[in-house]
Amino acid sequence: MMVKNEVLVALSENSNNLFLYNSIGEVIWEYNHTDSLGTNDEKFTGQFGIHGIIDTIHANGKIELLIYFQHYNYYPTGIAKLDLLTGEKISDVLWHPGAIGGAVLVDWNKDGKKEIIAGGASNGMHKAYLFSIDHDKLSGTFPTSENYTFH
């Protein structure tokens, strides 16, 4: 059996989307995150650029791709899972009021379940942060101040 490589590309010169290409450069799928969310004082709609690929994990009979994305013009950032075969979103979004600078997937606490470990800047707390969350608990929002809490 011959295996052919595929390539994931995020934040290219020409697009903020995430692409999966086959071994001859053809697009298999493209993911574009659009969403709408808000705080008591602000509303954010529209495009989110894919800022990073965290990792893949075999779960629920699929290969799940963990990604993070940030609003095209503002601070809301989210983490979600895609089905690697189809490019469809298969989880809720964990929202963060600030930037994610990088993330890894590892069994940090040695409980047999991998966690996302990420760091970045929190607009609501006005600080740098480092956090850990189980990969299957992507929902809700990060802790923050009241005026940066997403509904």
Side-chain angles (χ1 to χ4, degrees):
M1 178 170 137
M2 187 169 149
V3 176
K4 294 190 176 183
N5 292 328
E6 296 172 337
V7 176
L8 283 164
V9 176
L11 271 184
S12 70
E13 183 177 321
N14 301 318
S15 178
N16 289 321
N17 297 346
L18 176 66
F19 296 88
L20 179 65
Y21 292 93
N22 66 17
S23 62
I24 59 172
E26 298 169 333
V27 175
I28 296 172
W29 55 255
E30 175 181 356
Y31 179 74
N32 172 338
H33 191 85
T34 58
D35 220 324
S36 178
L37 74 155
T39 66
N40 286 339
D41 301 321
E42 299 177 287
K43 292 209 181 291
F44 307 97
T45 60
Q47 296 286 345
F48 287 74
I50 309 303
H51 279 230
I53 298 166
I54 299 171
D55 208 335
T56 59
I57 189 164
H58 293 261
N60 304 313
K62 300 178 186 208
I63 302 174
E64 300 176 345
L65 176 67
L66 292 139
I67 62 169
Y68 59 97
F69 43 85
Q70 186 167 350
H71 190 274
Y72 188 72
N73 292 319
Y74 301 104
Y75 63 85
T77 302
I79 299 174
K81 288 182 183 181
L82 305 180
D83 181 328
L84 186 59
L85 295 178
T86 65
E88 295 178 17
K89 186 167 71 85
I90 56 173
S91 74
D92 289 335
V93 176
L94 175 62
W95 289 106
H96 171 60
I100 293 176
V104 297
L105 183 68
V106 63
D107 185 5
W108 178 258
N109 61 5
K110 307 293 184 208
D111 67 351
K113 183 186 284 189
K114 291 186 176 183
E115 297 86 32
I116 298 168
I117 311 288
S122 172
N123 288 29
M125 299 298 207
H126 305 287
K127 296 179 182 181
Y129 71 89
L130 178 68
F131 82 92
S132 167
I133 187 167
D134 289 343
H135 73 86
D136 59 352
K137 293 185 178 163
L138 299 179
S139 183
T141 64
F142 280 67
T144 189
S145 60
E146 185 177 336
N147 57 331
Y148 281 90
T149 300
F150 298 123
H151 302 293

